[in-house]
Amino acid sequence: MVKLLFRSPPVSPGFIFVKAKPTDAEGIFFHSCASLNSQKQRSTRSDSARARALVTQLLRRKCEPWAPGLCYGRCGSTLEPVWVGTDTGILKGVNLQRKQAANFTPSGQPRREEAVSALCWGAGSETQILVGCADGTVKHFSTEEGRFQGQRHCPGGEGMFRGLAQVDGTLITCVDSGILRVWHDNDKEASSDPLLELRVGPGVCRMRQDPARPHVVATGGKENALKVWDLQGSEEPVFRAKNVRNDWLDLRVPIWDQDIQFLPESQKLVTCTGYHQVRVYDPASPQRRPVLEATYGEYPLTAMTLTPGGNSVIVGNTHGQLAEIDLRQGRLLVCLKGLAGSVRGLQCHPSKPLLASCGLDRVLRVHRIRNPRGLDHKVYLKSQLNCLLLSGRDNWEDEPQEPQEPNKVPSEDTETDELWASLEAAAKRKLPDLEQSQGALQTRQRKKKRPGSTSS
């Protein structure tokens, strides 16, 4: 746990230097400075409480622990329902009940060269996470042990990972430049040569694996139309989408597929575009153009996820707007509020009406998408978030709270009260001088009054 140690002001009165000592990471210090005004001692009790809360929150945000495996409080490594990747290379496990996060970094310190761009569950249960980093490595993280267990260097192509998948002991990667490769996922037999390499076209924005057919993936991007690939078949796509017809000015409509999802129990796919469109494709139909198209808003759509029933999708755009769109009729169902920045990651729980979202506003949110709709959880994570994974367990939301003894103040509140009590004691040492100066000032004002004046 991070402890805030207040010490006497070494420079000038009115300033307090704060040093944060993470007990789990030796030798890492963080400094911040807070200005306090002694005149606030005469404010009301409610104003003082609000001031305490604001300054304490500010100090906590300034003292983010940058350390591998460092946890806030007693946040475990196996019960985290949400995992998020940041642009500083940190994998964060978030406990929504306690609103706490555990930070994990493979190299010991945050590095933007290791920014997390893709996450996926390992084969089998949710005991392993594959973490795709900007330096071209895929790291293996164990949720049971709470540490990184190895990595696989996947060279080839340019840009960040736009999708990760695992099937039958092999690893599937795809990068911006359009190089899709299949690798051995065994660290002991790791070699520089991939098992399969496909060129899916430049400007890839997303590669998505079909949950029902793990050997089938779909790709799409900017001026790169939707394609479906069978990794066990030929090197040609089994489906290649065709662009929509020209607009009313007979001009070509640009292509920009930002995200892709496979509809359950069918061969249909749904995409969202950078031109605020949602399109449904059916490879089984004779036409290769979309069989349904809907639009939402005026800004580019950046992320999309299927709802538990599979009859609608939730999309997010660059202005933090979320909306649910019905795929049967192509109409808008409901809008969700709360986000303040571009949406980077969306995922619905497979069986519960819950939606996890993250983005550039550095906040992880969990919405309830069925009545009563609203925001269930909100956790500030201090770093820009690129992607997320939501656990599919059914009982993660029912995790019991830690019992607290009756009439006992939590340790965090006790520490805060002790810190502020020391500040009040330091301020009272200056208070007698202030009272004497005020009394002398009142005496001078009485002497300056004229002899014939009367008090009002």
Side-chain angles (χ1 to χ4, degrees):
M1 179 176 290
V2 177
K3 297 182 180 180
L4 301 180
L5 304 179
F6 288 80
R7 302 198 292 184
S8 301
V11 180
S12 60
F15 287 87
I16 294 177
F17 286 86
V18 182
K19 178 179 290 187
K21 283 189 176 181
T23 57
D24 295 343
E26 192 173 328
I28 301 177
F29 300 99
F30 304 90
H31 302 273
S32 64
C33 181
S35 176
L36 299 176
N37 189 350
S38 61
Q39 298 294 333
K40 294 296 182 181
Q41 298 296 330
R42 295 192 297 270
S43 61
T44 62
R45 180 171 298 180
S46 60
D47 293 339
S48 177
R50 283 195 295 268
R52 288 186 182 191
L54 290 175
V55 176
T56 304
Q57 183 180 11
L58 174 63
L59 295 178
R60 286 174 181 168
R61 290 188 179 183
K62 292 291 184 183
C63 300
E64 178 184 10
W66 296 95
L70 183 61
C71 302
Y72 293 88
R74 284 181 283 178
C75 185
S77 62
T78 61
L79 299 178
E80 274 51 295
V82 186
W83 297 85
V84 295
T86 71
D87 63 346
T88 53
I90 300 176
L91 178 66
K92 291 176 177 280
V94 185
N95 189 306
L96 299 176
Q97 301 297 335
R98 302 188 184 98
K99 298 188 182 301
Q100 296 172 342
N103 296 338
F104 302 93
T105 55
S107 60
Q109 60 182 356
R111 295 176 54 195
R112 291 193 178 272
E113 294 80 7
E114 298 179 354
V116 180
S117 59
L119 293 175
C120 75
W121 295 112
S125 59
E126 299 176 353
T127 59
Q128 189 183 61
I129 299 177
L130 301 182
V131 183
C133 299
D135 59 355
T137 59
V138 177
K139 298 176 174 58
H140 297 251
F141 179 82
S142 173
T143 59
E144 293 181 338
E145 300 181 10
R147 64 183 181 90
F148 287 91
Q149 294 182 331
Q151 66 181 22
R152 178 72 161 83
H153 186 56
C154 302
E158 298 179 356
M160 304 177 70
F161 289 114
R162 293 304 178 182
L164 287 179
Q166 194 176 38
V167 55
D168 298 333
T170 59
L171 176 66
I172 307 171
T173 64
C174 186
V175 295
D176 285 331
S177 59
I179 304 298
L180 187 149
R181 290 184 170 182
V182 181
W183 312 80
H184 277 296
D185 197 29
N186 192 341
D187 293 335
K188 297 180 181 179
E189 300 177 0
S191 63
S192 59
D193 299 328
L195 299 176
L196 176 66
E197 179 176 331
L198 298 176
R199 298 186 179 272
V200 300
V204 174
C205 294
R206 183 70 64 195
M207 182 205 74
R208 184 76 65 181
Q209 184 183 31
D210 187 354
R213 299 172 295 169
H215 57 90
V216 176
V217 297
T219 61
K222 193 164 187 178
E223 296 303 329
N224 189 346
L226 172 68
K227 301 180 186 70
V228 180
W229 307 82
D230 187 353
L231 302 180
Q232 296 179 351
S234 64
E235 296 184 359
E236 294 295 324
V238 296
F239 174 76
R240 189 192 302 266
K242 190 176 181 179
N243 194 13
V244 297
R245 293 183 176 87
N246 295 347
D247 59 10
W248 63 282
L249 290 174
D250 199 24
L251 298 177
R252 177 186 174 274
V253 178
I255 300 173
W256 192 3
D257 292 332
Q258 290 271 43
D259 205 347
I260 307 168
Q261 292 287 347
F262 286 88
L263 296 183
E265 300 179 358
S266 70
Q267 298 184 16
K268 295 181 180 179
L269 300 94
V270 57
T271 66
C272 68
T273 73
Y275 301 104
H276 56 88
Q277 300 150 340
V278 176
R279 293 168 175 166
V280 178
Y281 294 86
D282 187 2
S285 67
Q287 63 174 351
R288 293 185 293 150
R289 289 192 172 98
V291 296
L292 183 142
E293 180 174 338
T295 59
Y296 168 69
E298 300 177 354
Y299 306 105
L301 302 179
T302 55
M304 178 179 61
T305 182
L306 286 172
T307 57
N311 295 323
S312 61
V313 293
I314 297 179
V315 295
N317 62 18
T318 56
H319 281 229
Q321 300 170 347
L322 298 177
E324 182 178 358
I325 298 177
D326 188 3
L327 298 179
R328 294 166 295 185
Q329 301 178 1
R331 63 187 182 90
L332 177 65
L333 295 179
V334 67
C335 294
L336 301 175
K337 299 180 180 180
L339 277 73
S342 177
V343 181
R344 292 298 177 90
L346 291 175
Q347 186 176 348
C348 282
H349 193 276
S351 59
K352 293 187 175 184
L354 297 175
L355 168 70
S357 62
C358 68
L360 299 186
D361 61 352
R362 311 183 183 196
V363 177
L364 171 69
R365 295 176 175 86
V366 177
H367 287 84
R368 185 168 296 274
I369 58 176
R370 294 293 178 263
N371 292 329
R373 297 186 178 93
L375 184 63
D376 280 2
H377 303 281
K378 179 180 177 181
V379 184
Y380 179 75
L381 297 177
K382 305 179 180 68
S383 300
Q384 291 184 349
L385 312 177
N386 293 333
C387 49
L388 65 85
L389 275 180
L390 179 63
S391 173
R393 300 196 309 266
D394 292 332
N395 59 346
W396 63 265
E397 201 179 20
D398 302 328
E399 179 187 351
Q401 298 281 353
E402 291 185 359
Q404 295 183 359
E405 297 180 7
N407 301 328
K408 183 177 179 181
V409 181
S411 59
E412 183 178 354
D413 296 340
T414 304
E415 291 181 4
T416 304
D417 293 340
E418 291 176 356
L419 298 176
W420 284 98
S422 63
L423 296 180
E424 293 175 356
K428 287 180 180 178
R429 289 196 291 268
K430 300 292 183 180
L431 191 59
D433 297 338
L434 180 63
E435 292 178 351
Q436 292 177 4
S437 61
Q438 290 179 350
L441 179 61
Q442 293 177 359
T443 303
R444 292 193 208 100
Q445 290 178 351
R446 293 194 193 98
K447 292 181 178 179
K448 289 182 180 180
K449 289 184 178 180
R450 293 183 298 223
S453 62
T454 59
S455 61
S456 56

